[in-house]
Amino acid sequence: MEEVSVAPSVGVLRICLFLKLISNLNLTEGLTLGSPIHIFVPNTDQRGKDYSELALAYRPSHADATYDFKYGIRAVQGGGRSSARETIGRVAAGAVAKKILKMLGTEVLAYASQVHKVVLPEGIVDHETLTMEQIESNIVRCPDPEYAQKMIEAINAVRVRGDSIGGVVTCIARNVPRGLGQPVFEKLGAELAKAMLSVPATMGFELGSGFAGTFLMGSEHNDEFYVDPNGKIRTKTNRSGGIQGGISNGEIINMRIAFKPTPTIGKKQRTVTRDREETELSAMGRHDPCVVPRAVPVVEAMAALVLVNQLMAQKAQNELLPFASPLQEPIPTVAPLNHV
């Protein structure tokens, strides 16, 4: 077994973990061999005793009850698949997807744009120039230093009270090829929404102007077209969020994902046991007072995976036959990377 350390500054996994790869079966000289990549992440800091109270009583707003309703059994210690621990697999796969996107010049970036009542003002982050270094410059992964500090203070304030808060992660994808997505049931926005809402603790998804767009008239909301100096058809505004009719239009894809307050908290809450007896419960152990900072790389990974899937579909379905119009743009052909 070979230990590979991935530095956060590389922007691949963006979490400090040692991933053990079976390199002799999957990689050689830094290149994939076509066989599955096995990533094993050992959990060496388990504290099962912290979950002893949860064996009988259901945590409010957690998956404890619904797992019992569905399966009649659940993983008490750690929460099983309802735990955000499962997202390590998403982030690892997303790292590979981001490598593929990078070959095409496409970049996916996510950041914390709201923690409870601390909201980044509209336009304070320039999506054209945003960098990962700006995002990773602080623990909450907010690219604006002033608002990052406010978010840290908000999280610390509820941490000491044994409570929790939620927030919003904004995700952008730059230089996405035009034409990705299907017109009806597999719209690009729908695929992104499904991917994001599969992440633990998510409660909402917005694309482009989102719900705020409902307050505008068509004349205010429509993205007017123009031809740029390079002869490309572009839009003057981007309230559509880079997707129109379920298909990418070449503008920056812009989405926001809402995360609820962590349901496992230290404060006493009213609940019931598996035997239908009412009781009080206060959770022990280590639980995040806010999941938003940890959710940033997960959101990024899911967006990258969706875009790679759509790229493969576009290549297979639309570039098999000769193009019928000069408006159609092929997926760029690029040289392979030297290292995965």
Side-chain angles (χ1 to χ4, degrees):
M1 301 286 282
E2 177 187 0
E3 280 198 349
V4 180
S5 176
V6 183
S9 59
V10 177
V12 180
L13 292 188
R14 295 178 50 178
I15 49 179
C16 296
L17 284 175
F18 289 98
L19 302 184
K20 294 185 176 180
L21 306 183
I22 304 181
S23 55
N24 61 326
L25 296 180
N26 309 298
L27 303 174
T28 182
E29 298 180 359
L31 295 175
T32 57
L33 296 175
S35 50
I37 299 176
H38 178 190
I39 301 177
F40 174 66
V41 185
N43 184 359
T44 58
D45 190 17
Q46 303 172 31
R47 300 185 186 179
K49 63 180 184 299
D50 290 346
Y51 295 86
S52 56
E53 283 190 64
L54 309 181
L56 298 177
Y58 297 129
R59 286 170 287 180
S61 287
H62 206 280
D64 296 341
T66 51
Y67 271 48
D68 260 356
F69 298 162
K70 182 175 180 64
Y71 300 108
I73 191 171
R74 60 188 171 89
V76 175
Q77 295 182 341
R81 287 183 294 174
S82 66
S83 169
R85 294 177 185 87
E86 60 88 357
T87 59
I88 181 59
R90 302 169 185 244
V91 177
V96 178
K98 288 172 69 176
K99 286 285 188 180
I100 297 171
L101 294 175
K102 186 178 180 180
M103 295 168 66
L104 303 174
T106 299
E107 186 177 22
V108 178
L109 293 170
Y111 61 91
S113 56
Q114 178 183 339
V115 168
H116 196 41
K117 296 181 181 179
V118 180
V119 184
L120 275 177
E122 190 74 25
I124 199 170
V125 176
D126 185 352
H127 288 167
E128 297 282 353
T129 60
L130 178 66
T131 65
M132 184 171 292
E133 288 70 28
Q134 290 174 306
I135 297 169
E136 293 292 332
S137 64
N138 56 77
I139 196 170
V140 288
R141 293 187 164 117
C142 172
D144 183 83
E146 178 186 350
Y147 279 86
Q149 185 58 38
K150 293 179 180 180
M151 291 178 182
I152 292 170
E153 292 170 0
I155 294 172
N156 286 336
V158 298
R159 185 199 306 273
V160 298
R161 300 200 301 265
D163 216 331
S164 65
I165 49 179
V168 175
V169 172
T170 294
C171 183
I172 64 167
R174 294 191 296 229
N175 197 30
V176 176
R178 302 178 185 210
L180 302 190
Q182 305 301 319
V184 187
F185 296 112
E186 295 179 346
K187 295 177 185 287
L188 181 54
E191 294 297 295
L192 287 168
K194 179 182 177 181
M196 297 308 169
L197 292 176
S198 75
V199 176
T202 52
M203 295 298 289
F205 174 86
E206 287 189 333
L207 179 67
S209 64
F211 288 98
T214 63
F215 294 102
L216 301 178
M217 296 184 183
S219 56
E220 299 171 309
H221 189 271
N222 289 344
D223 296 317
E224 294 184 348
F225 290 106
Y226 76 101
V227 179
D228 71 8
N230 298 318
K232 278 199 169 187
I233 298 175
R234 302 282 307 278
T235 61
K236 293 181 179 179
T237 54
N238 190 23
R239 298 184 186 92
S240 300
I243 300 173
Q244 293 170 326
I247 299 170
S248 62
N249 63 6
E251 305 298 331
I252 292 177
I253 293 178
N254 180 356
M255 67 198 99
R256 288 169 301 283
I257 301 90
F259 288 84
K260 68 180 180 181
T262 315
T264 310
I265 61 176
K267 283 192 169 186
K268 282 189 177 182
Q269 301 180 88
R270 297 294 304 173
T271 186
V272 298
T273 67
R274 295 189 79 197
D275 296 327
R276 297 179 174 83
E277 294 180 357
E278 294 189 1
T279 186
E280 285 187 337
L281 175 69
S282 56
M284 298 172 58
R286 302 160 295 170
H287 304 286
D288 290 323
C290 181
V291 301
V292 170
R294 293 184 187 272
V296 168
V298 183
V299 165
E300 212 172 76
M302 295 307 294
L305 289 167
V306 169
L307 290 176
V308 167
N309 280 341
Q310 294 297 326
L311 278 168
M312 291 190 293
Q314 175 73 0
K315 198 77 175 175
Q317 297 173 358
N318 293 75
E319 296 190 17
L320 178 65
L321 301 175
F323 285 162
S325 166
L327 291 174
Q328 292 175 282
E329 295 182 4
I331 303 298
T333 301
V334 295
L337 290 175
N338 291 328
H339 295 86
V340 73

